[in-house]
Amino acid sequence: MSDIDVKYAALGGSAGWLGPAKTAELVAPDGIGHYRHYRSGSIYWSPASGAHEVHGLIRDRWASLGWERSFLGYPLTDETTTPDRIGRYNHFQGGSVYWTPATGAHEVHGAIRGKWASLGWERSFLGYPLTDETTTPDRIGRYNHFQGGSVYWTPTTGAHEVHGAIRGKWASLGWERSFLGYPLTDETTTPDGVGRYNHFQGGSVYWTPATGAHEVHGAIRALWASMGWERSFLGYPTSDELSTEDSTGRYSEFQHGSIYWSAGTGALACRETVRLHVKCLTAPTRFTINQMISNMRLTYATAQVGVKYVSFEVLNLPALNDIDVGACTMGTVTAEQTQLFANRNNAGANDVVAYFVRSTQPPFNGCASHPANRPGAVVASGASAWTMGHEIGHVLGLSHVSDNNRLMTGLGTDNITNPPPDIIASEKTTMLASSFTN
Amino acid sequence: MPITMQQVLAEIDKDEPKYEALALLGPEALPHLQLIVEADDPLKSSKAVYAASLIGGAGAAEILRKAADHHDPQVRIAVAQGLQNLAAAAPTDLVMKSLNDHDSGVRKLALLTAGKLNRTEFKQRITAIAQGDPEEHLRKAASVAAKKLEVR
């Protein structure tokens, strides 16, 4: 009796579930092993692997890959029920094929199989494979998707699992074709025990229950890392890296601040934030609101103050579009200023509102005098690119200076000679201490 | 020392000009202000118009008269407001021109000016604004101004 006959007999012979033989025992095409097909499956034997039955959809999957001539080689086990009793598998010399009613039959092999096995096979959070190992669109890497995540492999990065919200973020950015590239780590718990992260070739994705999953990369990530990652005063990211409104800079928001970057300034950590709302009666004519906000971000970041652009609203208030600001003296407001600054939709008590009007009467670029407990400033349509930041600087407690290198120049922000204008140390202290920065 | 354009621009260029300082420059500043009004920067032009109105006199009135035809309503608004500063010297026809401006912002400031100047010549136009201006806030403001004229 051959080993195949012994296995067949052990499985019940012709009365067993394999049923009667359909072929004689034959030499496999690779010339190494033998096989015999039966009504409901096959038994394959090789000197190295012994005799094992393969049947059903797992056999079909193996057959579709090329039987023993495929990378899977000969079976090392009979089809076996998984410990969770949901699935079935055969291990082969070069990998495994797993099947469940819900997922179908898929092969897993190599380093990806090794990663899956190390995590606990189908009992891990990954569950069962949903795909065979597949080449990535860039033809560099390989992956299997599983019920609970994915394992990606490249020759340079090895095999790493990505799952949950971090995987969702990575997928939304374009998987390995995004700037993030391939994962360099499995999802890992942060040292503070609160969050989770994967590092990728081009950055990281951090997640916490409170903040969700956000990517951090480049110079912003490098600065955050140098500060101590999530253990720094910034905490976890609350946004992906974003472009400034005029695309001249980048920033990421964190739980307790932000990091701003521009080619001119490099990465700057901001420990306080101005929450900015824009209410527009007339759009500015010389510069866009986006340019003004971006310029404000740039200058304020040098004082460690970030800008959170919270909301934009068009106000249809023709009576206030050419607004009487009187002498524009801090602490004194006109009836029209009182009316205008009452429009604080979406703005919290310490949020600052910039009202874009056509003109002030008398004519100013802007005016920062505001009613008590309604912090904000008006900006005229002909204002300079720096006026909004300058006026809100007044709101934060800054005064005019006679220096055109500085944001708070009283000589005209159109005359700023060395942009971005400076904010000196004492002004920074004032801004950070303002009740309108948090 | 003659007033220079540099002195005038030093104040006009400010985000928040000190108009009292501009007024103190006196009539010698008016030619410079006229040039600024004529330049292609409506905000600076409007600042220059307002500054001229604070200096006052015939030269200032002439600047306001020319500026009343400016294509940008911001400048005409400064004219309408500046006419208040000319007080008794404010030309009635210029106030009427502002009251008839197609821009509602100009009419708004002209109404304030007409109310302060308190001349009977404005009554008919103010009443017309009170009765038929497309802007509700102007109709209300004109009603108030018209009542003041009646009281007078």
Side-chain angles (χ1 to χ4, degrees):
Chain A
M1 274 178 86
S2 71
D3 285 355
I4 288 178
D5 290 338
V6 170
K7 170 61 70 175
Y8 182 55
L11 293 171
S14 60
W17 57 266
L18 275 174
K22 290 173 64 179
T23 66
E25 183 172 322
L26 300 170
V27 175
D30 68 359
I32 296 171
H34 290 187
Y35 71 95
R36 193 167 188 185
H37 292 324
Y38 302 89
R39 187 182 62 199
S40 299
S42 302
I43 295 175
Y44 272 73
W45 169 90
S46 79
S49 60
H52 300 288
E53 63 81 11
V54 189
H55 70 278
L57 292 174
I58 291 177
R59 177 180 178 272
D60 289 351
R61 191 88 209 99
W62 183 45
S64 74
L65 293 168
W67 302 98
E68 79 287 352
R69 286 162 295 169
S70 72
F71 60 85
L72 287 174
Y74 285 90
L76 294 176
T77 65
D78 293 349
E79 184 176 304
T80 306
T81 299
T82 53
D84 64 7
R85 309 200 61 78
I86 294 171
R88 309 273 292 173
Y89 68 92
N90 280 80
H91 289 326
F92 294 83
Q93 290 173 306
S96 302
V97 177
Y98 273 73
W99 169 92
T100 72
T103 59
H106 300 289
E107 64 79 12
V108 190
H109 71 281
I112 292 177
R113 180 176 177 271
K115 172 59 66 178
W116 185 43
S118 74
L119 294 168
W121 302 98
E122 76 285 353
R123 286 162 292 171
S124 72
F125 59 86
L126 286 175
Y128 288 89
L130 295 175
T131 66
D132 290 350
E133 185 178 300
T134 306
T135 300
T136 52
D138 66 4
R139 309 200 64 75
I140 294 171
R142 309 274 294 172
Y143 68 93
N144 280 79
H145 288 326
F146 294 83
Q147 290 175 302
S150 302
V151 177
Y152 275 72
W153 170 92
T154 73
T156 55
T157 59
H160 300 289
E161 64 78 15
V162 190
H163 72 279
I166 292 178
R167 179 178 178 271
K169 171 59 67 179
W170 184 44
S172 74
L173 294 168
W175 302 98
E176 76 286 351
R177 287 163 290 173
S178 71
F179 59 86
L180 286 174
Y182 287 90
L184 295 176
T185 66
D186 294 347
E187 185 176 302
T188 307
T189 301
T190 52
D192 66 4
V194 175
R196 309 273 294 172
Y197 68 93
N198 280 79
H199 289 325
F200 293 83
Q201 290 173 305
S204 302
V205 177
Y206 273 73
W207 170 92
T208 72
T211 59
H214 300 288
E215 63 80 12
V216 191
H217 71 280
I220 290 176
R221 177 180 179 271
L223 177 58
W224 186 46
S226 74
M227 295 168 63
W229 302 97
E230 74 284 353
R231 287 163 292 171
S232 69
F233 72 79
L234 289 170
Y236 287 90
T238 57
S239 77
D240 292 348
E241 185 176 303
L242 302 167
S243 178
T244 58
E245 289 71 13
D246 67 352
S247 302
T248 57
R250 312 277 300 174
Y251 64 99
S252 291
E253 294 172 341
F254 293 83
Q255 288 175 300
H256 310 297
S258 58
I259 295 178
Y260 173 91
W261 174 93
S262 72
T265 62
L268 300 167
C270 300
R271 59 175 62 248
E272 296 284 330
T273 304
V274 176
R275 286 173 52 85
L276 174 70
H277 302 259
V278 169
K279 312 276 185 201
C280 186
L281 288 75
T282 292
T285 53
R286 295 173 57 212
F287 302 93
T288 64
I289 291 172
N290 283 345
Q291 285 174 308
M292 294 191 195
I293 295 171
S294 294
N295 281 352
M296 183 175 160
R297 283 189 192 285
L298 168 61
T299 48
Y300 280 40
T302 65
Q304 292 191 302
V305 176
V307 176
K308 173 86 176 172
Y309 180 18
V310 184
S311 75
F312 174 87
E313 183 182 12
V314 172
L315 292 181
N316 182 24
L317 297 171
L320 301 174
N321 199 20
D322 302 293
I323 188 169
D324 174 17
V325 296
C328 187
T329 306
M330 203 59 96
T332 305
V333 290
T334 65
E336 289 191 357
Q337 283 173 299
T338 301
Q339 270 184 275
L340 181 62
F341 283 71
N343 294 278
R344 287 182 64 83
N345 278 345
N346 309 310
N350 287 330
D351 292 1
V352 175
V353 182
Y355 299 92
F356 282 83
V357 298
R358 182 168 64 170
S359 68
T360 67
Q361 301 311 317
F364 295 126
N365 285 36
C367 177
S369 63
H370 56 271
N373 303 318
R374 291 176 183 171
V378 294
V379 180
S381 60
S384 82
W386 306 102
T387 296
M388 186 175 76
H390 172 98
E391 297 300 341
I392 292 174
H394 286 314
V395 176
L396 300 184
L398 304 186
S399 301
H400 278 158
V401 295
S402 295
D403 183 345
N404 280 334
N405 271 335
R406 288 163 62 181
L407 177 66
M408 296 315 294
T409 177
L411 306 177
T413 51
D414 265 321
N415 292 326
I416 283 170
T417 47
N418 189 25
D422 297 337
I423 294 173
I424 65 167
S426 60
E427 292 172 325
K428 173 181 158 184
T429 302
T430 301
M431 293 169 78
L432 292 173
S434 168
S435 57
F436 306 129
T437 57
N438 297 291
Chain B
M1 287 284 284
I3 301 298
T4 65
M5 176 61 103
Q6 198 175 7
Q7 283 176 279
V8 176
L9 276 177
E11 204 58 52
I12 292 287
D13 277 351
K14 293 178 178 176
D15 284 32
E16 300 110 0
K18 290 185 169 52
Y19 284 108
E20 61 274 27
L22 280 162
L24 288 175
L25 294 177
E28 275 192 59
L30 291 174
H32 303 304
L33 292 171
Q34 176 64 55
L35 288 173
I36 296 167
V37 172
E38 290 167 359
D40 189 24
D41 185 332
L43 180 51
K44 282 186 187 176
S45 297
S46 62
K47 290 175 182 175
V49 165
Y50 190 75
S53 75
L54 291 168
I55 292 169
E62 189 56 29
I63 288 175
L64 266 61
R65 182 171 295 284
K66 286 182 181 168
D69 290 323
H70 201 283
H71 65 88
D72 194 297
Q74 288 181 72
V75 181
R76 302 199 304 278
I77 287 168
V79 171
Q81 189 184 25
L83 287 166
Q84 281 180 46
N85 298 327
L86 296 184
T92 298
D93 66 317
L94 266 192
V95 180
M96 288 298 293
K97 187 182 177 85
S98 295
L99 286 169
N100 285 310
D101 199 284
H102 63 82
D103 185 272
S104 63
V106 179
R107 296 199 301 282
K108 173 189 163 187
L109 271 297
L111 273 173
L112 289 170
T113 295
K116 290 198 174 167
L117 296 177
N118 207 10
R119 296 178 192 166
T120 52
E121 295 96 317
F122 304 142
K123 185 176 179 183
Q124 188 179 1
R125 177 59 188 144
I126 290 174
T127 303
I129 291 174
Q131 291 173 347
D133 196 281
E135 295 287 345
E136 185 186 2
H137 70 99
L138 291 184
R139 293 197 299 274
K140 285 181 180 171
S143 295
V144 173
K147 279 177 187 164
K148 282 184 182 171
L149 285 174
E150 283 166 13
V151 169
R152 177 173 173 264

